[in-house]
Amino acid sequence: MSDCIFCMIANGEIPSNTIYEDDDFRVILDNGPATKGHALVLPKQHYANLFEIPEETLAGAAKVAKKVAANIKEKLGCDGLNLVQNNGEAAGQTVMHFHLHIIPRYADDNQHILWNPTKPTAEELVEIKNTILGE
């Protein structure tokens, strides 16, 4: 898409702090990072979200994320990491171009990429399961 900022970055039309690139993906440092080394895996083709990206491209994004995450862990010495992928505004997606966050985690980083667990009943879980399965 000609007006997609992530398309322009992924295809080298806008400068970025690229830490990995191949024929299909560019990985850049996030300009508004949650932690030191927070990176984004961007496919060079435009897909708005998880529901549009072909399975083989999604698998490629996961492979790239694994490779880059291992390098980040080795070079920056983080204590762990989160892989985060948001779909839709309600889920926190702000740029409608599929991207995968690699967020290095440090013991004292004060980030909270968590949720408040709810307490559904056993019956509610069965009802949800049956709805998903179409039963």
Side-chain angles (χ1 to χ4, degrees):
M1 290 182 58
S2 62
D3 62 343
C4 174
I5 187 133
F6 278 3
C7 282
M8 291 184 270
I9 293 170
N11 290 291
E13 298 168 33
I14 295 175
S16 64
N17 289 300
T18 299
I19 60 172
Y20 176 86
E21 182 177 11
D22 64 23
D23 291 341
D24 300 313
F25 299 95
R26 181 182 298 260
V27 181
I28 64 169
L29 292 178
D30 193 310
N31 282 340
T35 62
K36 178 182 174 182
H38 180 169
L40 304 175
V41 178
L42 306 174
K44 292 183 177 180
Q45 291 287 320
H46 182 82
Y47 309 102
N49 53 44
L50 178 70
F51 307 107
E52 289 188 7
I53 192 168
E55 289 181 8
E56 60 275 4
T57 307
L58 179 62
K63 288 177 184 178
V64 166
K66 181 178 180 180
K67 179 187 296 188
V68 172
N71 191 44
I72 287 172
K73 185 166 175 42
E74 176 188 341
K75 303 292 183 169
L76 297 182
C78 59
D79 300 307
L81 63 92
N82 293 107
L83 292 179
V84 177
Q85 201 283 309
N86 303 318
N87 294 280
E89 288 181 37
Q93 185 179 12
T94 58
V95 179
M96 299 306 156
H97 179 112
F98 176 93
H99 56 287
L100 180 60
H101 294 260
I102 302 170
I103 305 173
R105 298 305 304 272
Y106 304 90
D108 60 353
D109 66 23
N110 293 316
Q111 288 293 348
H112 302 285
I113 305 170
L114 303 171
W115 53 87
N116 294 320
T118 61
K119 297 179 182 178
T121 65
E123 293 80 14
E124 289 171 320
L125 289 173
V126 168
E127 182 181 335
I128 293 166
K129 175 193 76 165
N130 290 340
T131 300
I132 291 169
L133 296 176
E135 296 176 358

